[in-house]
Amino acid sequence: SASYDGTNWVLGAATGIDGTVIGATTPAAGSFTTADIDGGTIDGTVIGGTTPAAGTFTDAASDSLTVNGNAYPSDGALSNRNIILNGAMQVAQYGTSVTAAGTSAYSTADRYKFQTNLNTDSVLSQAEDGPDGFDRSFKLTVGTGATPITSDFGRLYYRVEGYDIDQFALGSVASEAVTLSFWVKSSVAGTYGVKFAGDGLGAYTASYTVDVINTWEHKSVTIPAGVWTTYNGSTTNGIGFQIAWDLGEGPDRSNAVGYDATEASGDMGLTGAVKILATTGATWQITGVQLELGDTATPFEHRGFGQELALCHRYARTYPINRLSMCPEGSLGDNTQAGIQYAPMRATPTSTNITVPSIVVNGSAAAYGTFLVVPSSTTDAAVLAQGITASAYGASVLLTTGIVFLDAEL
């Protein structure tokens, strides 16, 4: 038996631990790794044969931790772990459906872009479908399948801003382990590729397997610590890190699993992987995307919709032009201007008219020629309405019911 007096364990003189004879209070020699104590107390709490029968612990150390069967972080913070924005695919400012008819990058769910040169006329959509805990996903429906050859490309990619990846320590032997996890559902089973790259040479290729068709499955891949020793990417507001899911990369753009310091960031495929764009009518869906520090995929970090939308506004947003008071210029006042402000965006955005506003001069509708929104910084833009047919000099001029789209995406 044994008791603890607040400073030392008190054990019988003839007791042994790991075969080492000990004295009244301390081992006479050697060290021990295990001890079986049949009775006694710790901090006044009665203990059983090997574990406390009651009471609490104030300190504990473990290399891994699970709570209710869920793995918890092996490194880094407990909150704000997910570097990915819109991982649950809830925000779709670009629209909920589009046909990818050319080689341009197309978007539905914010922050994700699809691009291919295979002319499959595939449909991209924000689907109202997901695994338990998710009600939206990005969905690809292949039109006319086309097998990728040579340097063809087909991928869904996400670009992480440089400010957000400093914690990865990429480009040194001290580079941290990084884990990507996501839910995927596909009509074609097999091994697929996912690529991690900076904005220059150096990339890591990984794989995941769809085991059962048309079924949501959770996948994770980890870039081991100390692997990413050559890094080319922004550490400010440029492209810091890219993730690309291989949907149809040609042989010249595909590589084996592992890290290659000479691999180009534009090569986003896995050699021998499923190229789903080759299959007419095939579907592929993804949601619950999480990128975090450490070698353990932890439960998806859900954020409120309002918070997710506000975070996405750094890269893209709609802006309403409604009852905006304009200042007439010139002797006739046929040209007018005003200024608008918005929350800081990643860079000076481009502007696209979604709905051209109407113009009202002294309370009456009027015609005009040109409407422009010209961003001048990450927070400000000039609004111009030109060629007003009615004289607006000295009049009250309002623009109403217009919408513009500001885009500062990577």
Side-chain angles (χ1 to χ4, degrees), residues 242-275:
Q242 301 183 76
I243 305 166
W245 288 268
D246 178 9
L247 303 175
E249 297 286 293
D252 294 349
R253 292 182 181 271
S254 298
N255 298 275
V257 169
Y259 175 74
D260 187 341
T262 64
E263 193 173 316
S265 60
D267 296 345
M268 297 183 175
L270 171 64
T271 301
V274 172
K275 311 292 182 178

Side-chain angles (χ1 to χ4, degrees), residues 19-113:
T20 300
V21 176
I22 62 175
T25 58
T26 57
S31 61
F32 57 86
T33 57
T34 61
D36 182 10
I37 302 169
D38 294 326
T41 62
I42 298 177
D43 293 338
T45 299
V46 177
I47 62 174
T50 56
T51 56
T56 60
F57 291 102
T58 56
D59 295 288
S62 175
D63 292 329
S64 62
L65 173 65
T66 60
V67 177
N68 295 330
N70 293 316
Y72 272 74
S74 59
D75 197 2
L78 292 175
S79 62
N80 296 313
R81 296 184 55 76
N82 192 5
I83 294 171
I84 299 295
L85 303 184
N86 201 28
M89 308 294 172
Q90 291 181 312
V91 181
Q93 296 183 99
Y94 292 87
T96 58
S97 181
V98 64
T99 298
T103 59
S104 299
Y106 291 84
S107 297
T108 51
D110 280 40
R111 304 293 349 267
Y112 300 84
K113 289 189 176 182

